[in-house]
Amino acid sequence: MEKAVKTTCPYCGVGCGVIATVADDGAVTVSGDPDHPANYGRLCSKGSALAETIDLDGRILHPEIGGRRTSWDEALDLVAENFARTIAEDGPDAVAFYVSGQLLTEDYYVANKLMKGFVGSANIDTNSRLCMSSSVAGHRRAFGSDTVPGCYQDLELADLVVLTGSNLAWCHPVLYQRLAAAKAKRPGMKVVVIDPRRTMTADIADLHLAIRPDTDVALFAGLFSHLVSSGAVDQNYVAAHTTGFAEAFAAVGTVSFGEVLERTGLAAMQLRDFYRLFATTEKVVTCYSQGVNQSSSGTDKVNAILNCHLATGRIGRPGMGPFSLTGQPNAMGGREVGGLANMLAAHMAIENAEDRDRVQRFWRSPGIAEKPGLKAVDLFQAVAEGRIKALWIMATNPVVSMPDADAVEAAIRACPFVVVSDILKETDTTRHAHVLLPSLGWGEKSGTVTNSERRISRQRPFLDAPGDARADWWQLAEVGRRMGFADAFAWDAPAEIFSEHAALSTFENAGSRDFDIGAHVALDREGYDRLTPFQWPQPAGQESSDSRFFADGGFYHADGKARFVAIQPVEGDRTDAAYPFTLNTGRIRDQWHTMTRSGKSARLSAHIAEPFAELHPRDAMEIGVGNAGLVEIESPRGKAVVRALITERQARGSIFAPMHWNDQFAAKARIDAVVPAITDRLSGQPASKNVAVAARRFKACSFAFAVSQAKPIDPDAAYWALAKAEGGWRLELAFAGPIGDWAGWCRRVFAIPAGVEPLGYADAQTGDIRLAFFDGPRLLAAFFLAREPVAVARNWAIAQLAADHANLRKRFALVAGRPGADKPDPGATVCSCFGVGVNQIVAAVRGGCHSVEAVGKALNAGTNCGSCRAEIGGIIDGCLATAAE
């Protein structure tokens, strides 16, 4: 019987509601939940493709020790024994957990309780350190708590929305669509985008401020000064609810308008327009994300923004306030349970003796961590130095995502005992595990997550647990029991953990802490299963309702007042003669983190199928790189080789490269191997968006493109990039030297059965080689080689994997690389939801579709998640401009 289950998307921090429908035959479809207040039925391209990522290909289904299949009892006994022995011999700080914003709150709670309360160390940190810890530090400095004051509705109610360090269109697409819809209804609403790149988000902007990297503090310090001089300060709010205003103004009062212009590189008119808009518009929301957080001055950037909102009293009221956009689906839930090394559970402070005592009494633990633990970068440095001897990594891939990634990999490889809990058997990190534990994935596990607006939602299972896979909380609890703490880890279900989490939030909390979900302390399993999304705080006896903080003060410092923070702008440029470019790393629209989930989807890989670097045309020309050529990016820490994407959206002297690709999908594209381990002094967050690098043309003697039914095996090329495709796989290649036997190379890489002979040709003059292998009417693999990047139509070639090739003429057309007139090439994919290519959009524009809406009506492109609408608009503008010439 068909069943529909309401759950929550496992991607970004928007926290969209999803309905997963399981048909009688087990087939799964997903759709947006129209009742969920985060998305009201909308989904982005990644969320829409979730059903394509839940297969069991590549899953780890049984515990392993040293690559040998074993039982849970043997594996967990070994984990508990090694951790207990290490603690006994070297102390509690010789062990560590490195966890993830992909964990559910219940998993996070158990990990934090075990490490801080029962091991007695705070050496538990999370990959949320890499994305949100500067916001946490900034909130705590200003508010006395890690509190996000507003809610998503504020973006729709504001008259001015400032997006700084946020590519909202690609990284939080559903929020972008809510903002775009609000702006369409109220054209007077203004949007300002602050970003060195002209991202797709900038296409909605009334004003795009392309500041130099890491000059945000100067920009907002100048704004603070302008607010004072223009009379925009809310004197009553400042006097009643804040302290430190005079000191904060004294720190920036000497920052002149001219100095801001010099530091940021902006035009005077742009800067004046921005300052005037902010000063004269009451309903202002400032959204910030990784471009603010991932900086050596990230915490100061956050407080520079908060200073401006505190000065104007524009906080906690409808359509007003600063808004931190969370990167991960449960980074907020992790912060609630104290998942960061410098926090305690329920938003309590590890440096506060009363809080430590309170948590220890609640947990009835033998001790409590008395000092902050090691933050992510320091934690892996301690592993490298041998100070941490036992390490448990859960639901994250630090060999790809950490800065100085090669050094992190070397540290993990050398660690005496490494446990990894994951769902995939082969990742860049699992290959170094002594013990590998199979976890439940999305659709199998049960628990809660918290999104960017403090809304707690359920993730519910709709699939059976595969093999021996078990929940992360269960793994941790079993180890806790085996270490002698059975009574403290005696839960039978996640509902019991959530109830304990809720009880701790309200324990001795008479309004002194922001996080309180005491209304759910007595929740039983049936109530937990029925739990609908709610926004905290929700103390005992209070009905669920949308809420904001700080409109009337009520901050969480001891005196109840917010703190202005005195900040001085710092120089942002790190380049020199040897490393003259600034590398900015980040996310793209259709991939997620290290691709362990999104890389399974052919649809998501169709938009951008290989690692790339955006270069300005003049920079590309100066280093001798042509469009679709290869570029080598190097810093003192490492190198990466990626495809060149030449675009005027990129500023001169800057390079953008995504962080997703890894050794499972490319030869040498782990961009975080290039990023040094420079961190913010307060938050410990790495500076991933301002890296001094050199860039040069990567020389190859030949290039190739291939499609195959079977997953390619060890391509053995100077450059390769692999992606899932409809019906099989696609592979981009470059070779440093000739291969004597190309047919033999193809047989090995594409696992061609013995006896299958290729159809093809070789042109000695041009260097072109084309080979195709058929099994009856079915194409097994096709290989196209040339001296320059291969010009064959990619999507057309991929479609041949599913085509019938009984006709010999069709086989020769494939080898020639030419689509027939009856099968035109759709071009590179623009709309992943409906598989619409650029050539189809261009044809629609030439046929009279001169708006995004008209293209959507003709092709459906842009009508589902809307993530591609800005790109479609750019194509339309380009076509119309060309036609006008």
Side-chain angles (χ1 to χ4, degrees), residues 586-607:
R587 296 174 177 168
I588 61 172
R589 190 187 81 189
D590 290 353
Q591 292 296 347
W592 175 254
H593 280 202
T594 64
M595 301 170 65
T596 50
R597 178 186 291 113
S598 57
K600 283 173 162 275
S601 168
R603 189 196 331 181
L604 295 180
S605 297
H607 181 233

Side-chain angles (χ1 to χ4, degrees), residues 258-287:
E259 185 178 349
V260 176
L261 291 176
E262 184 178 352
R263 287 176 181 268
T264 61
L266 295 174
M269 184 177 294
Q270 285 186 310
L271 190 61
R272 287 193 188 95
D273 285 348
F274 172 53
Y275 284 0
R276 176 186 53 78
L277 268 174
F278 198 107
T280 59
T281 307
E282 183 182 23
K283 289 189 174 183
V284 181
V285 171
T286 304
C287 298

Side-chain angles (χ1 to χ4, degrees), residues 428-697:
D428 293 36
T429 299
T430 59
R431 61 192 178 198
H432 302 300
H434 299 100
V435 178
L436 185 56
L437 302 178
S439 296
L440 298 178
W442 182 80
E444 301 156 2
K445 57 187 179 179
S446 177
T448 57
V449 293
T450 306
N451 72 1
S452 293
E453 64 168 353
R454 297 175 277 107
R455 192 173 301 279
I456 296 175
S457 301
R458 287 277 279 114
Q459 271 198 22
R460 295 182 174 90
F462 53 87
L463 300 170
D464 294 334
D468 291 332
R470 297 291 183 270
D472 295 293
W473 70 261
W474 180 89
Q475 299 172 30
L476 289 154
E478 284 294 318
V479 169
R481 292 168 185 166
R482 285 165 165 80
M483 291 177 70
F485 312 122
D487 290 345
F489 295 90
W491 310 286
D492 292 321
E496 298 169 11
I497 304 170
F498 184 79
S499 180
E500 181 177 320
H501 167 52
L504 178 55
S505 79
T506 199
F507 182 59
E508 297 179 357
N509 182 6
S512 59
R513 303 191 301 273
D514 62 340
F515 180 69
D516 187 342
I517 54 171
H520 302 282
V521 169
L523 205 64
D524 58 17
R525 293 191 189 187
E526 289 74 20
Y528 184 71
D529 288 341
R530 294 192 305 269
L531 189 66
T532 56
F534 71 94
Q535 195 176 34
W536 65 258
Q538 194 181 358
Q542 179 177 302
E543 293 295 318
S544 176
S545 63
D546 289 355
S547 60
R548 297 175 176 86
F549 281 87
F550 310 139
D552 299 310
F555 295 94
Y556 291 93
H557 287 294
D559 60 2
K561 294 187 176 185
R563 303 290 188 264
F564 283 95
V565 178
I567 296 166
Q568 284 283 354
V570 294
E571 290 297 333
D573 188 15
R574 293 195 172 100
T575 61
D576 57 27
Y579 300 100
F581 292 96
T582 297
L583 171 67
N584 167 17
T585 69
R587 296 174 177 168
I588 61 172
R589 190 187 81 189
D590 290 353
Q591 292 296 347
W592 175 254
H593 280 202
T594 64
M595 301 170 65
T596 50
R597 178 186 291 113
S598 57
K600 283 173 162 275
S601 168
R603 189 196 331 181
L604 295 180
S605 297
H607 181 233
I608 298 174
E610 60 182 319
F612 67 93
E614 283 187 359
L615 296 156
H616 188 276
R618 289 180 63 184
D619 289 334
M621 182 176 63
E622 288 178 5
I623 63 173
V625 175
N627 212 9
L630 296 175
V631 59
E632 182 178 68
I633 301 170
E634 181 180 11
S635 78
R637 304 309 304 162
K639 297 178 182 178
V641 178
V642 296
R643 189 73 67 180
L645 175 59
I646 300 172
T647 172
E648 291 189 351
R649 284 182 172 267
Q650 184 59 266
R652 283 218 67 190
S654 291
I655 298 171
F656 171 81
M659 52 82 70
H660 309 291
W661 274 267
N662 53 75
D663 290 353
Q664 312 307 310
F665 290 94
K668 196 171 181 62
R670 287 187 302 125
I671 201 66
D672 276 309
V674 180
V675 177
I678 298 170
T679 62
D680 179 280
R681 62 185 175 84
L682 294 172
S683 70
Q685 181 156 357
S688 302
K689 294 186 170 293
N690 185 357
V691 180
V693 297
R696 63 185 69 89
R697 176 173 168 254

Side-chain angles (χ1 to χ4, degrees), residues 54-398:
I54 55 177
D55 60 70
L56 298 184
D57 289 350
R59 288 288 295 268
I60 169 72
L61 298 176
H62 311 282
E64 293 185 2
I65 297 175
R68 168 182 62 85
R69 178 174 170 176
T70 188
S71 67
W72 272 110
D73 280 339
E74 184 182 7
L76 294 170
D77 284 348
L78 183 62
V79 174
E81 175 189 327
N82 273 272
F83 270 78
R85 185 179 62 251
T86 302
I87 293 164
E89 293 176 355
D90 299 291
D93 288 337
V95 302
F97 294 168
Y98 185 65
V99 295
S100 166
Q102 304 294 305
L103 293 177
L104 303 182
T105 299
E106 292 75 5
D107 306 319
Y108 248 135
Y109 180 87
V110 179
N112 190 61
K113 180 178 180 179
L114 177 58
M115 179 56 75
K116 288 177 181 159
F118 290 83
V119 171
S121 170
N123 281 349
I124 173 172
D125 212 41
T126 165
N127 61 8
S128 300
R129 178 72 58 190
L130 312 183
C131 68
M132 299 311 302
S133 54
S134 291
S135 284
V136 174
H139 288 160
R140 294 180 76 187
R141 279 209 293 185
F143 306 150
S145 60
D146 177 23
T147 309
V148 175
C151 53
Y152 293 158
Q153 188 184 41
D154 292 329
L155 276 74
E156 298 162 324
L157 297 176
D159 294 321
L160 170 63
V161 175
V162 180
L163 302 173
T164 181
S166 166
N167 186 4
L168 197 70
W170 276 21
C171 299
H172 299 91
V174 169
L175 274 188
Y176 176 82
Q177 290 307 317
R178 288 183 64 167
L179 175 62
K183 186 168 170 51
K185 288 180 181 178
R186 292 193 296 120
M189 172 194 279
K190 301 296 181 184
V191 176
V192 175
V193 170
I194 304 168
D195 197 312
R197 298 166 63 213
R198 184 170 179 82
T199 65
M200 290 300 169
T201 303
D203 288 6
I204 200 177
D206 298 282
L207 182 62
H208 173 217
L209 303 180
I211 62 172
R212 294 191 179 111
D214 267 353
T215 58
D216 312 65
V217 172
L219 179 68
F220 283 94
L223 173 60
F224 185 63
S225 182
H226 175 80
L227 294 172
V228 176
S229 63
S230 63
V233 172
D234 185 334
Q235 302 286 356
N236 292 331
Y237 189 91
V238 169
H241 303 304
T242 73
T243 63
F245 178 85
E247 293 81 358
F249 178 62
V252 302
T254 58
V255 179
S256 68
F257 187 83
E259 185 178 349
V260 176
L261 291 176
E262 184 178 352
R263 287 176 181 268
T264 61
L266 295 174
M269 184 177 294
Q270 285 186 310
L271 190 61
R272 287 193 188 95
D273 285 348
F274 172 53
Y275 284 0
R276 176 186 53 78
L277 268 174
F278 198 107
T280 59
T281 307
E282 183 182 23
K283 289 189 174 183
V284 181
V285 171
T286 304
C287 298
Y288 53 93
S289 193
Q290 313 301 21
V292 166
N293 294 317
Q294 290 180 334
S295 167
S296 59
S297 57
T299 305
D300 282 351
K301 289 183 183 184
V302 171
N303 285 112
I305 294 167
L306 300 185
N307 282 350
C308 295
H309 279 273
L310 290 171
T312 53
R314 296 169 187 164
I315 186 168
R317 291 184 283 158
M320 296 180 231
F323 203 112
S324 164
L325 296 171
T326 313
Q328 293 194 81
N330 202 31
M332 290 283 280
R335 286 148 66 176
E336 291 160 11
V337 303
L340 292 166
N342 55 316
M343 298 175 70
L344 274 182
H347 281 198
M348 285 183 268
I350 201 167
E351 64 272 15
N352 184 304
E354 291 182 1
D355 283 350
R356 294 197 304 271
D357 174 69
R358 182 180 296 111
V359 174
Q360 184 178 355
R361 284 188 288 108
F362 181 86
W363 281 342
R364 300 178 183 176
S365 60
I368 195 79
E370 295 187 351
K371 65 181 189 301
L374 296 172
K375 298 167 185 173
V377 168
D378 295 331
L379 187 152
F380 284 102
Q381 182 62 40
V383 174
E385 294 170 358
R387 291 183 285 126
I388 289 176
K389 304 177 188 302
L391 174 65
W392 193 343
I393 299 168
M394 305 190 80
T396 187
N397 197 3

Side-chain angles (χ1 to χ4, degrees), residues 759-778:
L759 178 69
Y761 75 87
D763 188 323
Q765 185 173 354
T766 64
D768 288 358
I769 294 175
R770 307 286 174 89
L771 297 170
F773 297 83
F774 297 92
D775 180 12
R778 189 167 67 105

Side-chain angles (χ1 to χ4, degrees), residues 32-47:
D33 181 356
D35 299 323
H36 199 289
N39 59 316
Y40 296 109
R42 298 178 177 92
L43 287 178
C44 72
S45 57
K46 293 187 290 293

